[in-house]
Amino acid sequence: GAVVSQHPSWVICKSGTSVKIECRSLDFQATTMFWYRQFPKQSLMLMATSNEGSKATYEQGVEKDKFLINHASLTLSTLTVTSAHPEDSSFYICSASGTSGSGVKNIQYFGAGTRLSVL
Amino acid sequence: QKEVEQDPGPLSVPEGAIVSLNCTYSNSAFQYFMWYRQYSRKGPELLMYTYSSGNKEDGRFTAQVDKSSKYISLFIRDSQPSDSATYLCAMKGGNEKLTFGTGTRLTIIP
């Protein structure tokens, strides 16, 4: 099946610093990647959608300058949380969907998630 | 009214029982229906994927879609303690965004 790798799985940082989270599709080309945020015991909240080579489309209420998304290749997208604050502490999850030829079109495959703790 | 309604549970059943999980939705444009399983502090794992109406079976799992009633189900046969997780229904139409249910927390009691 399609595999999405997300790194790191857990990161602790000081308030005011920036943190980068990587999301890679290992065995398919991900034309579209998604970034979600999940609070305890709640469902996933879509933050942004990114297509390879294009600027990300952010959901309403998500700060573009705080959550920088880059999707420079068909296998890698990154989320950078800039000037992190304790309220940014959360579980961040990426997902990827591919081209029709790869058989994964219309399906999102998820990474394992990254737990961010901002002190 | 939410686009997708899912009973959050929690749902507890004894090992070996048949589990039935359900979602209803209101958007007629939804064509692709998925069930994901999420263990605590992990990303969702795709269990079943169905396009349009019908049934699909994979091992102990059966997914059903009834577009006329806007109702989808996931059945788990011979439930195991390892099936204890949160189950998320998800669906999409022509665009790429998924709409999720709130998730049902399931516990299988040995």
Side-chain angles (χ1 to χ4, degrees):
Chain A
V3 180
V4 175
S5 173
Q6 188 172 340
H7 178 80
S9 58
W10 193 1
V11 58
I12 301 173
C13 70
K14 292 182 179 180
S15 185
T17 61
S18 295
V19 173
K20 180 183 283 188
I21 302 169
E22 288 190 352
C23 181
R24 294 180 184 272
S25 56
L26 298 186
D27 52 2
F28 68 100
Q29 293 185 322
T31 50
T32 308
M33 286 187 167
F34 305 82
W35 288 94
Y36 294 84
R37 185 172 180 176
Q38 188 175 33
F39 293 101
K41 299 185 181 181
Q42 293 188 26
S43 192
L44 285 74
M45 182 185 75
L46 180 65
M47 298 174 67
T49 302
S50 73
N51 291 294
E52 184 264 338
S54 303
K55 286 185 178 180
T57 302
Y58 290 80
E59 295 298 300
Q60 192 173 6
V62 178
E63 297 178 60
K64 300 178 184 181
D65 295 332
K66 167 165 275 298
F67 300 102
L68 300 179
I69 292 170
N70 182 277
H71 190 172
S73 77
L74 284 172
T75 59
L76 174 64
S77 176
T78 59
L79 167 68
T80 301
V81 183
T82 63
S83 187
H85 288 95
E87 57 266 30
D88 299 324
S89 298
S90 191
F91 192 55
Y92 293 88
I93 313 173
C94 71
S95 72
S97 63
T99 61
S100 57
S102 65
V104 296
K105 184 177 169 64
N106 291 314
I107 300 176
Q108 286 185 31
Y109 293 91
F110 286 83
T114 297
R115 186 145 58 109
L116 172 62
S117 298
V118 184
L119 305 178
Chain B
Q1 183 188 8
K2 293 181 181 178
E3 275 193 295
V4 178
E5 299 277 358
Q6 182 177 9
D7 187 341
L11 178 64
S12 296
V13 300
E15 182 176 355
I18 296 175
V19 176
S20 172
L21 303 168
N22 311 292
C23 289
T24 59
Y25 63 95
S26 58
N27 189 340
S28 300
F30 289 148
Q31 302 175 61
Y32 303 91
F33 304 91
M34 283 140 276
W35 285 95
Y36 289 90
R37 177 175 63 194
Q38 187 177 22
Y39 292 112
S40 181
R41 298 179 179 177
K42 296 290 185 184
E45 170 194 1
L46 180 67
L47 282 178
M48 300 290 285
Y49 161 65
T50 309
Y51 171 69
S52 195
S53 285
N55 294 358
K56 189 172 184 179
E57 187 174 321
D58 184 1
R60 297 184 295 111
F61 300 92
T62 299
Q64 289 185 350
V65 175
D66 182 347
K67 290 190 72 177
S68 62
S69 301
K70 297 189 177 67
Y71 187 89
I72 70 170
S73 300
L74 176 71
F75 297 96
I76 307 173
R77 292 182 297 282
D78 188 23
S79 55
Q80 305 293 312
S82 59
D83 295 328
S84 298
T86 295
Y87 289 79
L88 296 155
C89 65
M91 46 200 80
K92 65 185 291 290
N95 66 28
E96 296 172 327
K97 293 183 187 180
L98 281 179
T99 302
F100 287 91
T102 52
T104 299
R105 296 182 69 189
L106 172 67
T107 301
I108 307 298
I109 304 167

